[in-house]
Amino acid sequence: MTPVRHGAGARWRVVVALWLATSAGAADAATCSATTTPVAFGSYDVYSALNVNSTGSVAVTCATQASDPSGNFAIAYEVELGSGGSGSTALRQMRGVSTGERLNYNLYRNNARSQLWGDGVTAGSVNASFTLNKLTAPSRTRTHTVFGRIPPLQDVAVDGYGDNVLVTINY
């Protein structure tokens, strides 16, 4: 995360990494896993009056087990995003690598960035389902977009900023 100077405004790159955990419930006949793509905001200009938006993703794959009977099997899952280092899904904060300063941002479930994405309690989670069939569709993947936003006009020092957010898949 190297600072870059452009004109009168200082800019730097900011990234939110998404980490993964899974939690299996009663659905022993299937397994689910996920892969993530980080929300990489790129450069942030402290003098700009515009939001900085970016996206990342969580791809959930569910598959039948060898012991499954043939036929259709429905599996529901929930994707939760943790609060990151701030401890609050209402106000997530990235931390400067060198300065330790905090840069506010948040993660959302929709492109309008009006629905916070959290743990299903303090902020909404994403719920979805698959119908698997051992013979014709033993595995399916769905990708969920993570919409990120940094609000404008935050007076922070030039630095590399980042946060780690735990992604939990409950099924």
Side-chain angles (χ1 to χ4, degrees), residues 46-77:
V46 298
Y47 301 111
S48 174
L50 301 175
N51 291 315
V52 176
N53 294 329
S54 188
T55 60
S57 66
V58 177
V60 178
T61 301
C62 294
T64 60
Q65 296 295 300
S67 60
D68 289 349
S70 59
N72 290 332
F73 179 81
I75 183 163
Y77 66 89

Side-chain angles (χ1 to χ4, degrees), residues 5-161:
R5 291 230 179 241
H6 294 280
R11 297 173 180 249
W12 54 93
R13 301 206 182 280
V14 289
V15 175
V16 177
L18 303 173
W19 299 95
L20 178 67
T22 59
S23 173
D28 294 334
T31 59
C32 294
S33 62
T35 57
T36 60
T37 303
V39 178
F41 288 103
S43 298
Y44 177 78
D45 182 347
V46 298
Y47 301 111
S48 174
L50 301 175
N51 291 315
V52 176
N53 294 329
S54 188
T55 60
S57 66
V58 177
V60 178
T61 301
C62 294
T64 60
Q65 296 295 300
S67 60
D68 289 349
S70 59
N72 290 332
F73 179 81
I75 183 163
Y77 66 89
E78 175 184 34
V79 182
E80 300 175 353
L81 297 186
S83 58
S86 72
S88 170
T89 54
L91 181 63
R92 289 183 172 100
Q93 296 178 321
M94 289 179 272
R95 187 165 249 187
V97 174
S98 300
T99 64
E101 286 192 52
R102 296 183 183 269
L103 180 62
N104 297 331
Y105 79 99
N106 225 320
L107 302 173
Y108 301 88
R109 296 175 286 153
N110 63 335
N111 188 41
R113 291 166 174 84
S114 60
Q115 300 172 353
L116 286 176
W117 194 338
D119 60 8
V121 177
T122 58
S125 58
V126 169
N127 294 283
S129 63
F130 290 122
T131 299
L132 303 175
N133 182 292
K134 186 173 182 177
L135 301 175
T136 61
S139 175
R140 295 189 61 191
T141 300
R142 179 172 291 131
T143 300
H144 303 277
T145 302
V146 179
F147 299 92
R149 172 171 284 166
I150 301 174
L153 302 173
Q154 296 182 61
D155 187 17
V156 294
V158 174
D159 200 349
Y161 288 81

